[in-house]
Amino acid sequence: MNVRGAVRPPGDKSISHRALMLAALARGTSEITGLLTGEDVKSTARVLRQLGSRVSAVRDGAVVRIEGRPLTAPRSALHCGNSGTTARLMLGILAGQRFAATLTGDASLRRRPMRRVTEPLRAMGARIDDTHGDALPLTIRGGRLHPLTYTTPVASAQVKSALLLAGLTGNVAVTIREPYRSRDHTERLLVHLGLGLHERDGAIVYEPIARSILPSFRLSVPGDASSAAFLVVAAVLAEGGELLVEHVGVNPTRTGFLVVLERMGAHVERVNLRDEGGEPVADLIARPPAALRGTDVSAAEVPTLVDEVPILAVLASRAAGETTFREVGELRVKESNRLELIAANLRAVGIDANARGNDLHVQGTTRPPRGRVETARDHRLAMAFAVLGTIPGADVRLSERASVSISYPRFFADLRNIRETGKGRREA
């Protein structure tokens, strides 16, 4: 397989969620271009509408307009679909509202842990009924909050963002420390909008500015680095050619996968560097390397590439030697038990892989991958193993493909186009 041409990944999922939420809290009408049109982001838009926000249709090529207004009590449960980001960040926003709201989601989301967010929100003064234990559905009643100083037990952008949003809506100070720095899109957006956020002695500190009003804004969402990673690895695994991946967010808290690629022998060039709404953006040029070698991915690196572990594990299966991913136990509580499924599916296509404790070990091979992959409706597993299926001689059969609509609706079309026609279709 050779690759050629240019392709633009969909809008960044993390930024899309946060931009919608902050626009709903702002005074006036905000406009967002490049918003991801996947199902997770549509879940956030739907929940905001249930809370009284006016959000225009989220569709390809559209300028999404959000009319900020005070949130109101919903008439029914807020259904977050499959989106953990929607559920956890909305908990933070709702902690500062003086009404009750119930959040729920699909079967997969109802299995994902929420206590990591609800415990510090309780410490701020929110009342939360979690009769279902550490999971949705749960009911939160916000109100008068207290300032919080908190050290997160794991590096989690969702926990950090929920607490910062609670500080914003509750008008109280929040200080957060992490064991490792997680993605910082919320912080960058708050700073870009002129709010009182800064770093002090290694901690993230939000301090309300007296009589501050969150202003409406215009924002162009950069391409999603996690989605771009699948295209980049497809190019790295190709037999020849060159692929231009356009308008990709290269926030350093999101590009650990590029560091690992370099260490494994692949060089991805960043060109046309610029800034979009406080976020660094670049075009990426990816080419197949002469050879790939295994590596050791440290625990400190994992927060910068946690969503890219599936595609990096696929790449590791084609590298000489063993690759080890350290302390990736967080993958057990993603859309699926992603850690066990990565290992099991690699074995199913003939690759030596196993999860021992919280570490993932992958042994590279030159044998073509062949077998059936169980995605468990996990979009990142489906995309990662689809890329593996582009290897010459491969016969990789996915249990389903529909899950990719969560984060990258055009993925299969783009993967096909960069291989067959050399003309990747661009997505606005």
Side-chain angles (χ1 to χ4, degrees), residues 7 22 49 73 90 111 122 124-125 127 135 191 239 362 382 409:
V7 64
L22 288 173
R49 292 185 192 107
M90 286 306 309
R111 291 191 297 268
R122 277 198 180 99
M124 294 182 74
R127 289 173 287 166
V191 169
E239 294 174 295
V362 181

Side-chain angles (χ1 to χ4, degrees), residues 13 36-42 377-379 382-383 400-412:
K13 187 152 77 83
L36 174 65
T37 59
E39 292 303 316
D40 277 11
V41 173
K42 288 180 178 178
R377 298 196 58 79
D378 186 322
H379 56 128
M383 289 188 285
E400 59 81 37
R401 295 158 55 106
S403 59
V404 303
S405 65
I406 288 170
S407 62
Y408 195 162
R410 286 199 45 79
F411 171 72
F412 287 105

Side-chain angles (χ1 to χ4, degrees), residues 180-218:
Y180 306 109
R181 176 60 61 88
S182 64
R183 60 184 63 177
D184 63 357
H185 300 301
T186 303
E187 297 98 298
R188 286 175 181 264
L189 268 172
L190 292 177
V191 169
H192 180 66
L193 295 174
L195 300 182
L197 186 134
H198 55 274
E199 189 170 330
R200 181 187 301 153
D201 299 327
I204 301 299
V205 181
Y206 171 74
E207 294 175 315
I209 300 171
R211 295 183 300 279
S212 64
I213 295 174
L214 182 63
S216 60
F217 56 89
R218 292 182 178 178

Side-chain angles (χ1 to χ4, degrees), residues 243-254:
L243 181 67
L244 177 66
V245 187
E246 299 176 321
H247 197 67
V248 180
V250 290
N251 181 316
T253 65
R254 294 288 301 282

Side-chain angles (χ1 to χ4, degrees), residues 109-404:
L109 184 57
R110 292 197 302 272
R111 291 191 297 268
R112 297 175 69 181
M114 295 292 148
R115 196 163 289 150
R116 59 183 59 181
V117 174
T118 58
E119 283 187 351
L121 289 177
R122 277 198 180 99
M124 294 182 74
R127 289 173 287 166
I128 299 169
D129 175 10
D130 55 0
T131 54
H132 293 273
D134 187 18
L136 300 181
L138 57 78
T139 299
I140 179 169
R141 180 179 291 277
R144 190 176 299 278
L145 301 183
H146 321 299
L148 177 74
T149 297
Y150 187 70
T151 299
T152 61
V154 297
S156 169
Q158 292 182 1
V159 174
K160 177 175 59 176
S161 298
L163 300 181
L164 291 174
L165 290 170
L168 174 66
T169 58
N171 201 40
V172 296
V174 175
T175 300
I176 304 166
R177 293 185 182 277
E178 299 182 283
Y180 306 109
R181 176 60 61 88
S182 64
R183 60 184 63 177
D184 63 357
H185 300 301
T186 303
E187 297 98 298
R188 286 175 181 264
L189 268 172
L190 292 177
V191 169
H192 180 66
L193 295 174
L195 300 182
L197 186 134
H198 55 274
E199 189 170 330
R200 181 187 301 153
D201 299 327
I204 301 299
V205 181
Y206 171 74
E207 294 175 315
I209 300 171
R211 295 183 300 279
S212 64
I213 295 174
L214 182 63
S216 60
F217 56 89
R218 292 182 178 178
L219 185 72
S220 173
V221 178
D224 192 287
S226 297
S227 294
F230 297 99
L231 304 171
V232 167
V233 171
V236 169
L237 289 176
E239 294 174 295
E242 175 181 290
L243 181 67
L244 177 66
V245 187
E246 299 176 321
H247 197 67
V248 180
V250 290
N251 181 316
T253 65
R254 294 288 301 282
T255 52
F257 79 95
L258 292 175
V259 176
V260 172
L261 283 175
E262 187 90 24
R263 213 159 60 226
M264 295 179 75
H267 178 65
V268 181
E269 188 179 355
R270 307 183 198 196
V271 298
N272 194 19
L273 284 161
R274 65 263 193 204
D275 182 274
E276 292 277 2
E279 293 278 350
V281 177
D283 300 333
L284 305 179
I285 300 174
R287 307 177 184 91
L292 290 167
R293 55 186 176 271
T295 190
D296 194 283
V297 179
S298 70
E301 292 179 290
V302 169
T304 68
L305 52 75
V306 66
D307 285 338
E308 290 73 64
V309 172
I311 191 62
L312 288 174
V314 158
L315 185 69
S317 75
R318 311 309 298 172
E322 182 177 88
T323 296
T324 303
F325 299 85
R326 306 286 181 186
E327 295 300 321
V328 287
E330 178 71 9
L331 296 179
R332 298 184 192 279
V333 292
K334 291 291 185 178
E335 286 85 335
S336 65
N337 185 337
R338 196 174 279 170
L339 177 56
E340 297 292 346
L341 280 169
I342 292 170
N345 282 319
L346 286 172
R347 291 194 299 270
V349 296
I351 295 157
D352 182 7
N354 60 81
R356 295 198 294 266
N358 287 326
D359 296 347
L360 174 65
H361 302 266
V362 181
Q363 184 69 43
T365 182
T366 58
R367 293 190 304 274
R370 293 175 180 170
R372 183 181 185 276
V373 168
E374 176 51 62
T375 72
R377 298 196 58 79
D378 186 322
H379 56 128
R380 300 202 193 277
L381 291 179
M383 289 188 285
F385 282 92
V387 170
L388 185 61
T390 65
I391 298 294
D395 179 19
V396 176
R397 301 180 301 279
L398 304 180
S399 62
E400 59 81 37
R401 295 158 55 106
S403 59
V404 303

Side-chain angles (χ1 to χ4, degrees), residues 74-85:
R75 296 179 180 178
S76 58
L78 304 173
H79 201 293
C80 302
N82 186 247
S83 178
T85 303

Side-chain angles (χ1 to χ4, degrees), residues 24 44-54 69-76 78 90 93-94 97 99-101:
T44 288
R46 180 179 61 249
V47 165
L48 291 172
R49 292 185 192 107
Q50 285 185 266
L51 291 166
S53 298
R54 291 184 177 174
R69 51 174 56 197
L71 302 184
T72 57
R75 296 179 180 178
S76 58
L78 304 173
M90 286 306 309
I93 289 175
L94 292 168
Q97 312 299 321
F99 54 75

Side-chain angles (χ1 to χ4, degrees), residues 19-30:
L20 280 175
M21 292 178 186
L22 288 173
L25 297 172
R27 186 74 59 85
T29 300
S30 297

